[in-house]
Amino acid sequence: MKQMSQDGLLALPTTVSVETAARAIGLGRTRVYQLARQGEFPCKVIRIGTSYRIVTVDFRRLLGIEPS
């Protein structure tokens, strides 16, 4: 799976899916779900029912990408 470009990361909405986060950092979706469930993903994760959402501002900070 191809990683996301910086422009793609800057265009993300307020929260992103686990699949999008996994693609952006080059990890498998299963591993990102595992980290989210264990509370070990390195940025804020919101659980809504059975769904996990990654807070984009924290995610961009993790990647060292800030909007200009």
Side-chain angles (χ1 to χ4, degrees), residues 11-16 46 53-58 60:
L12 292 173
T14 306
T15 63
V16 295
I46 300 170
R53 302 292 294 179
I54 311 297
V55 176
T56 303
V57 70
D58 288 345
R60 284 189 194 126

Side-chain angles (χ1 to χ4, degrees), residues 42-64:
C43 55
K44 186 169 181 158
V45 177
I46 300 170
R47 185 170 178 189
I48 303 169
T50 59
S51 176
Y52 290 90
R53 302 292 294 179
I54 311 297
V55 176
T56 303
V57 70
D58 288 345
F59 190 59
R60 284 189 194 126
R61 204 170 290 129
L62 170 73
L63 298 173

